[in-house]
Amino acid sequence: LYRGLLPSLLGSIPKAGIRFGGNTYFRNKLRSPDGKLTMLQALAAGSLAGCLESVAVVCPVETVKTKCIELNQPFMAGLAHILKNEGPMGLYKGLAATMLKQGSNHGLRFMWFGEYKAWLTGTRDPSLQRTLQPYESLLGGVSAGIFSVMCNNPFDMLKTRMQGVNAHKYSGTFDCLRQSIANEGILVCYRGAIA
């Protein structure tokens, strides 16, 4: 039940820091001179933060986690397996799919929550927005999570397959998508979305 938990725990701290710090950094860089951020700028900032965390933490951690689960091995054995059989670059299997997944996930989440907050407060200007009540933040977070999962689950499926023990069957991310749909139908893109 908890196989593969250690890499997830080890990666959670830097991942969250990179995600939120990166999002703030990119939002500030993309913001207009008057301090406003459009919906597309918010999407871009979150997507860039997701791509940054993919390269720095998510891809290697998720690759080890996925292999540990599929090979039924503990963390160190899974890591050793990857390094022995694939070398250090084996930790970056599925990087393109991971960047698509993390970028879309965080871009969509941050964009949705920003739009939700602007809708509730009646303004896009952060200096004029009131602080949300805890229940409002909860509803915004839940709805942002649902929205991002439903939109980016195809990328998550690709990421998992590209990092798994059967990744050798695919020549790349788009070949994985093509084969998955050809062999299992379009609904394969949403397998696990409501798990």
Side-chain angles (χ1 to χ4, degrees):
L1 182 61
Y2 291 100
R3 178 105 35 211
L5 180 63
L6 182 61
S8 294
L9 288 175
L10 293 175
S12 291
I13 295 168
K15 183 169 67 170
I18 291 167
R19 176 186 312 142
F20 287 99
N23 184 58
T24 299
Y25 174 81
F26 291 121
R27 287 173 79 89
N28 289 336
K29 290 293 182 189
L30 295 171
R31 206 176 289 286
S32 65
D34 65 357
K36 294 181 183 169
L37 196 70
T38 67
M39 185 170 68
L40 288 178
Q41 289 169 321
L43 176 66
S47 295
L48 289 167
C51 288
L52 181 61
E53 79 170 4
S54 294
V55 174
V57 180
V58 176
C59 192
V61 168
E62 289 286 316
T63 299
V64 174
K65 180 186 85 168
T66 301
K67 293 252 171 71
C68 286
I69 291 168
E70 290 182 356
L71 296 170
N72 197 26
Q73 293 181 334
F75 174 73
M76 291 308 292
L79 177 60
H81 174 84
I82 293 168
L83 295 174
K84 178 183 174 192
N85 295 304
E86 303 172 49
M89 290 310 294
L91 295 171
Y92 284 91
K93 292 287 185 187
L95 178 61
T98 303
M99 291 175 72
L100 286 169
K101 188 257 182 186
Q102 294 301 110
S104 66
N105 186 37
H106 299 310
L108 292 166
R109 280 180 199 231
F110 285 123
M111 178 192 73
W112 179 280
F113 194 82
E115 290 301 302
Y116 170 80
K117 189 170 182 181
W119 176 72
L120 279 181
T121 61
T123 181
R124 287 191 181 289
D125 187 341
S127 65
L128 300 175
Q129 289 180 340
R130 67 175 171 79
T131 301
L132 298 184
Q133 295 296 316
Y135 75 90
E136 292 172 321
S137 291
L138 174 70
L139 290 174
V142 167
S143 62
I146 292 168
F147 177 68
S148 69
V149 166
M150 294 313 295
C151 291
N152 88 340
N153 203 76
F155 300 126
D156 194 22
M157 179 273 299
L158 289 170
K159 175 196 73 70
T160 301
R161 290 181 180 208
M162 291 301 297
Q163 291 173 333
V165 294
N166 292 316
H168 65 277
K169 294 179 179 178
Y170 312 113
S171 63
T173 301
F174 294 105
D175 182 52
C176 179
L177 178 63
R178 184 189 60 75
Q179 284 191 49
S180 296
I181 292 173
N183 295 330
E184 302 170 63
I186 191 73
L187 291 179
V188 70
C189 293
Y190 288 94
R191 186 169 294 148
I194 307 175

